[in-house]
């Protein structure tokens, strides 16, 4: 069974850095896209960054966050620099994965990891 396992959340002072990691475990054929979303209390879940062939960033993280795939191909990292108070949220890993050699994919989510930025 495919699972997404996240790590790297925590608390950091504003201006600091954190790196989130997400590893796909279980049998799969191909990972099409990996992404990070976040959800702050009382707000909807929003896309932070995604990576397939290209990378895509939300405007509020451009120039501060970098998403990249691990060389193994089954993990994604989110390097977060210059963190702001408003970056405080639960961050969720997301992946579109094909379990067999066919054109359709299924969407998977991690359990979420808390990022807290304090002043």
């Amino acid at each position: 069974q495919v699972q997404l396992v996240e790590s790297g959340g925590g608390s950091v002072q504003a201006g600091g850095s954190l790196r989130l990691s997400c590893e796909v475990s279980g049998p799969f054929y191909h990972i099409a896209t990996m992404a990070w979303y976040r959800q702050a209390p009382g707000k909807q879940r929003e896309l932070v960054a995604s990576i397939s062939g290209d990378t895509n960033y939300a405007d509020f993280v451009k120039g501060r966050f970098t998403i990249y795939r691990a060389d193994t191909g089954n993990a994604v990292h989110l390097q977060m620099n210059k963190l702001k108070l408003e970056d405080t949220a639960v961050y969720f890993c997301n992946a579109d994965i094909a379990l067999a050699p066919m054109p359709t994919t299924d969407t998977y989510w991690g359990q979420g990891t808390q990022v807290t930025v304090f002043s």
Side-chain angles (χ1 to χ4, degrees):
Q1 182 176 355
V2 171
Q3 290 186 323
L4 274 57
V5 181
E6 299 146 342
S7 61
S11 296
V12 65
Q13 193 168 25
S17 299
L18 282 175
R19 190 182 80 153
L20 304 183
S21 297
C22 172
E23 184 173 358
V24 178
S25 65
F28 63 89
Y29 175 72
H30 173 68
I31 301 174
T33 303
M34 298 193 78
W36 287 95
Y37 286 73
R38 72 185 188 186
Q39 187 167 19
K43 295 188 177 181
Q44 290 188 336
R45 191 172 297 188
E46 58 186 359
L47 176 67
V48 175
S50 65
I51 184 168
S52 52
D54 299 321
T55 56
N56 177 54
Y57 295 94
D59 287 343
F60 52 77
V61 302
K62 283 181 180 177
R64 300 189 299 123
F65 291 11
T66 302
I67 187 171
Y68 59 100
R69 295 276 290 267
D71 291 339
T72 57
N74 70 328
V76 66
H77 307 290
L78 184 68
Q79 179 65 42
M80 305 185 294
N81 298 328
K82 301 178 182 178
L83 282 159
K84 304 176 180 180
L85 298 178
E86 52 264 41
D87 292 320
T88 295
V90 178
Y91 284 70
F92 296 89
C93 181
N94 165 283
D96 291 327
I97 299 172
L99 301 183
M102 54 188 187
T104 58
T105 60
D106 295 316
T107 299
Y108 296 84
W109 292 92
Q111 78 282 2
T113 185
Q114 177 70 46
V115 171
T116 302
V117 184
F118 59 89
S119 59

